[in-house]
Amino acid sequence: MAAQNDVCIPVSEEDIDYSQRGQWLRAAVLGATDGLISVASLMMGVGAVKQDVRVMILTGFAGLVAGACSMAIGEFVSVYSQLDVEVAQMKRENIIEKEALPNPIQAALASAVSFMLGAVMPLLAAAFIVDHKVRLGVVVATVSLALVAFGWIGAFLGRTPVVKSCFRIVVGGWMAMAITFGLTKWIGSTGL
């Protein structure tokens, strides 16, 4: 049997640099929140004018696919641009050390996967509800609970105030769903 040479080095809370979590945390929380709110808002908009569950689910699924692709490409391009700027600055300053550079592929994957995880929640919530009004209520309730969870996770991982984070994200989600529902209902009632 080989002897184990594991050495445990205690790390205090002050030694952790939470800003290093910023890139992937921002991409993951933004992706999940955007997936949840975008797809739920699309579904609420369709639900404002159509009672057919298939139309609502199909719209939500199309939003999931389009949104995940958009988030991945947007994050990749954005973070790659940031990487180019940082590498150019390092060359100007003759810095060889390349630690802690942004990773465009990691950001793209985190954003796309988290978007899909967020987007699937309202889809699953609506898929099994036959009654139209109950379905809309279940989507809103599911999205509200998920937004609280996402707000808490983001605040916990970033060591920021939880109530403030949860409040901001829930109110923003409610506003997006209400505006989409209201405008679609209004446009649908005017015959456009």
Side-chain angles (χ1 to χ4, degrees):
M1 292 192 117
Q4 288 188 353
N5 291 328
D6 293 340
V7 177
C8 293
I9 300 172
V11 177
S12 71
E13 191 74 19
E14 295 89 32
D15 293 338
I16 299 173
D17 182 4
Y18 291 102
S19 67
Q20 293 300 315
R21 295 181 180 178
Q23 290 177 14
W24 67 265
L25 179 61
R26 181 191 60 79
V29 171
L30 175 64
T33 304
D34 193 23
L36 183 67
I37 294 171
S38 295
V39 169
S41 294
L42 278 170
M43 292 170 67
M44 294 299 290
V46 168
V49 293
K50 296 276 187 191
Q51 293 190 10
D52 186 359
V53 68
R54 289 184 2 220
V55 172
M56 184 184 263
I57 297 299
L58 185 59
T59 301
F61 182 75
L64 180 150
V65 174
C69 291
S70 176
M71 292 292 288
I73 292 165
E75 280 295 322
F76 181 82
V77 169
S78 174
V79 174
Y80 213 104
S81 296
Q82 178 186 352
L83 176 65
D84 288 344
V85 169
E86 290 186 27
V87 168
Q89 183 63 32
M90 289 170 59
K91 286 179 181 177
R92 283 191 292 275
E93 296 175 359
N94 292 322
I95 299 172
I96 299 172
E97 187 178 307
K98 293 185 179 181
E99 114 182 27
L101 286 175
N103 184 333
I105 294 172
Q106 181 185 33
L109 287 173
S111 188
V113 169
S114 60
F115 185 96
M116 289 187 287
L117 291 173
V120 81
M121 290 181 192
L123 283 168
L124 289 175
F128 303 105
I129 309 294
V130 176
D131 184 81
H132 176 66
K133 290 182 180 178
V134 173
R135 184 178 334 115
L136 293 175
V138 167
V139 168
V140 171
T142 301
V143 169
S144 298
L145 290 172
L147 288 172
V148 169
F150 290 163
W152 182 86
I153 290 168
F156 176 77
L157 292 175
R159 297 297 192 259
T160 60
V162 173
V163 173
K164 192 175 178 180
S165 177
C166 290
F167 179 77
R168 181 175 46 234
I169 198 168
V170 170
V171 170
W174 286 346
M175 287 173 57
M177 289 186 291
I179 290 168
T180 306
F181 183 88
L183 286 177
T184 306
K185 184 95 169 158
W186 176 69
I187 290 171
S189 68
T190 61
L192 293 177

